[in-house]
Amino acid sequence: MTELYLYNTRTRTKGRFTPRDRDHVGMYVCGPTVYDTAHVGNARPVLVFDVLARLLRRLYPRVTYVRNITDIDDKIIEAARANGETIDTLTERTTAAYRADMAALDALPPDVEPRCTRTVPEMIALIEELIARGHAYAADGHVLFDVPSYPGYGQLSRRNRDEMIAGARVEVAPYKRDPADFVLWKPSSAEQPGWDSPWARGRPGWHIECSAMSEKYLGRDFDIHGGGIDLIFPHHENEIAQSLCAHPEAGFARVWMHNGFVTVNGEKMAKSAGNFITVRDALNAGHRGETIRLFMLQTHYRQPFDWTDEGLRAAKASLDRFYTALRDADDAAEPGDPPDDFLEALADDLNTPLAIARLNEAVSALNRAPSAERKSTVLGAGALLGILGWEPGAWLRGADDGAAAVEARIAARQAARKARDFAEADRIRDELAARGIVLEDKPGGRTEWRRT
């Protein structure tokens, strides 16, 4: 069996992955805060951990992949107020858009997608446990985690106390015992969303949410916790403190994985800089989801990723070459076992750049001597990367500017079907049919299309 090696942020080393249970791997990844449209930086962890989930499912009998939706947050409250809409309307709209955009990038949905607003009782119970164990205290309607009560605080980020206080941008408040203490529960005004609690009507702090949701769906000990590098501190540091102090007999997450930052043409992405790119922007500009996906996977997940037009063009050219080879190999084939060296590359801390190089070699071999076996090998490698799911002719025919718009509508239809809004799904199908686009639903939830 192929051995999997992963880099653990907590130990700063790469080692052989040994799950708690060889028959069941659990992975939790921090999901979006749904107050606005997802940008390309939000998409990177989705693609990284989608590939990891695909690989884990090949190596282990059962995988439970949990990725949450944060649907209560001060940013959400402010965005709803600024938009003049209710919080529920905002979060439902942005959640549907997020799912559609990620589907357009060929990211499979997680096995479990908990929402914070539906896990508040578990958060309250976890806070009560922290208070009972002397690691949290109530003050002025708030509940705060007592950072000095946990000697291990800072082990993930490896920052000293002054760096942690500065990095957390802590709020100076008279009810805090220590400047580093962070909020577990905060009071809500009459206009703000809130839940009854033993302390005050209020809402949870950001960090407690993921500790409660990961415990509910994966238990107090699980295998992998992932997210962007920006979450190492304070979010993941605080998760560790909460979870280990509430359950000192448990181990929480064994392996911590973090993807690197995303820049645009070498600069930090920001609305003020005019280089802020949403996934929807990229799709509407004519870039197909699979192109965006391959482009991002060409950089190792732990390295910074730079978004450039040149990189997108190169990824598109690579996919055109792959699909041309598949089209020209007339033999019918289904995805099979990928090349051994391809699988070894992925199993070496998710080395997607090397895996793509091995895929290129497999495509070259298919071009030299087409056969069903070689075609099956290429398709198997593509399936693990989440690419090459198109019918080759459809990919090559869809090079016109309208292809991205069709894909976006198909992704919206898939999201509607998942939400059991079949009337909307049928309306989108009819809309596309009126434009001469025929949809073909395939096994596994995949949809192909062609022009009449």
Side-chain angles (χ1 to χ4, degrees):
M1 177 180 175
T2 301
E3 294 286 357
L4 176 61
Y5 289 82
L6 297 174
Y7 182 86
N8 190 344
T9 305
R10 193 167 185 176
T11 62
R12 301 298 195 272
T13 59
K14 182 171 69 175
R16 186 165 64 88
F17 174 65
T18 304
R20 292 179 61 255
D21 180 350
R22 292 289 299 183
D23 294 327
H24 184 198
V25 176
M27 178 170 71
Y28 184 92
V29 176
C30 292
T33 300
V34 286
Y35 68 96
D36 203 352
T37 306
H39 55 71
V40 293
N42 302 137
R44 193 178 190 198
V46 173
L47 297 184
V48 166
F49 292 103
D50 179 63
V51 173
L52 179 57
R54 290 168 188 259
L55 178 61
L56 290 170
R57 290 190 178 102
R58 178 178 176 84
L59 300 179
Y60 299 96
R62 181 182 169 207
V63 175
T64 300
Y65 173 22
V66 181
R67 187 183 69 220
N68 75 292
I69 296 287
T70 297
D71 57 353
I72 179 61
D73 184 86
D74 288 351
K75 290 180 179 179
I76 293 173
I77 295 172
E78 176 56 31
R81 185 201 62 77
N83 295 346
E85 60 185 329
T86 67
I87 288 174
D88 285 347
T89 300
L90 170 66
T91 57
E92 289 301 320
R93 174 173 58 79
T94 50
T95 297
Y98 175 81
R99 289 170 176 161
D101 288 346
M102 297 309 110
L105 301 180
D106 296 305
L108 301 173
D111 298 300
V112 185
E113 192 179 52
R115 298 175 71 133
C116 293
T117 53
R118 299 172 189 172
T119 325
V120 173
E122 288 82 359
M123 298 173 197
I124 291 174
L126 187 56
I127 294 170
E128 289 180 313
E129 184 68 25
L130 287 167
I131 293 174
R133 291 182 177 273
H135 293 291
Y137 58 93
D140 197 21
H142 296 73
V143 181
L144 296 105
F145 183 86
D146 184 359
V147 169
S149 75
Y150 177 49
Y153 193 78
Q155 60 186 296
L156 181 68
S157 60
R158 300 193 179 185
R159 299 186 183 196
N160 63 40
R161 179 177 169 80
D162 290 341
E163 289 174 329
M164 288 190 288
I165 292 174
R169 301 175 184 174
V170 297
E171 176 188 0
V172 177
Y175 48 78
K176 283 190 176 185
R177 294 178 183 173
D178 187 276
D181 294 351
F182 57 88
V183 172
L184 302 173
W185 188 265
K186 62 180 73 174
S188 294
S189 67
E191 297 77 25
Q192 293 173 326
W195 290 260
D196 292 333
S197 80
W199 315 288
R201 178 184 176 275
R203 59 195 189 277
W206 174 33
H207 312 300
I208 198 69
E209 296 171 347
C210 286
S211 284
M213 287 184 286
S214 63
E215 179 184 338
K216 180 175 181 178
Y217 294 102
L218 295 174
R220 296 174 182 178
D221 291 278
F222 59 94
D223 298 299
I224 300 169
H225 196 312
I229 194 172
D230 56 310
L231 298 181
I232 293 177
F233 188 87
H235 185 50
H236 288 167
E237 192 76 72
N238 291 351
E239 277 191 69
I240 291 172
Q242 296 161 166
S243 296
L244 292 185
C245 286
H247 309 299
E249 76 289 352
F252 197 38
R254 292 188 169 200
V255 177
W256 289 82
M257 298 178 66
H258 297 90
N259 61 271
F261 287 114
V262 172
T263 58
V264 178
N265 295 316
E267 298 182 358
K268 182 178 179 180
M269 184 171 59
K271 289 182 179 179
S272 59
N275 65 353
F276 190 83
I277 302 172
T278 68
V279 174
R280 191 67 54 84
D281 290 336
L283 294 169
N284 289 341
H287 303 297
R288 282 183 262 183
E290 195 164 304
T291 301
I292 296 169
R293 184 184 183 97
L294 180 64
F295 177 32
M296 285 192 160
L297 294 179
Q298 286 172 334
T299 299
H300 190 273
Y301 79 92
R302 285 195 285 118
Q303 299 303 314
F305 168 78
D306 191 32
W307 179 278
T308 65
D309 289 340
E310 180 182 358
L312 281 164
R313 285 193 295 270
K316 172 64 166 55
S318 293
L319 285 167
D320 287 349
R321 174 176 175 265
F322 296 165
Y323 276 112
T324 298
L326 291 170
R327 182 198 62 191
D328 293 346
D330 292 334
D331 303 86
E334 295 294 326
D337 291 330
D340 289 342
D341 56 1
F342 170 92
L343 193 58
E344 289 167 3
L346 275 191
D348 183 12
D349 193 33
L350 218 61
N351 192 340
T352 53
L354 181 57
I356 292 167
R358 301 296 186 232
L359 173 58
N360 266 290
E361 293 170 1
V363 170
S364 294
L366 177 63
N367 275 325
R368 288 193 300 271
S371 71
E373 181 181 359
R374 289 189 175 90
K375 187 174 183 179
S376 177
T377 295
V378 168
L379 290 172
L384 273 179
L385 291 174
I387 62 174
L388 304 184
W390 286 63
E391 189 279 319
W395 172 272
L396 297 168
R397 287 193 304 272
D400 59 279
D401 292 338
V406 173
E407 287 184 47
R409 298 307 293 147
I410 291 173
R413 176 173 174 264
Q414 290 171 331
R417 294 175 72 187
K418 183 176 180 182
R420 304 189 68 80
D421 188 354
F422 299 116
E424 174 64 6
D426 289 342
R427 190 192 67 76
I428 294 173
R429 175 187 280 277
D430 293 341
E431 169 196 318
L432 292 173
R435 293 163 51 189
I437 306 296
V438 176
L439 304 185
E440 297 177 358
D441 293 324
K442 301 293 184 180
R446 184 166 52 90
T447 299
E448 293 183 353
W449 62 277
R450 59 183 173 83
R451 298 187 185 278
T452 57

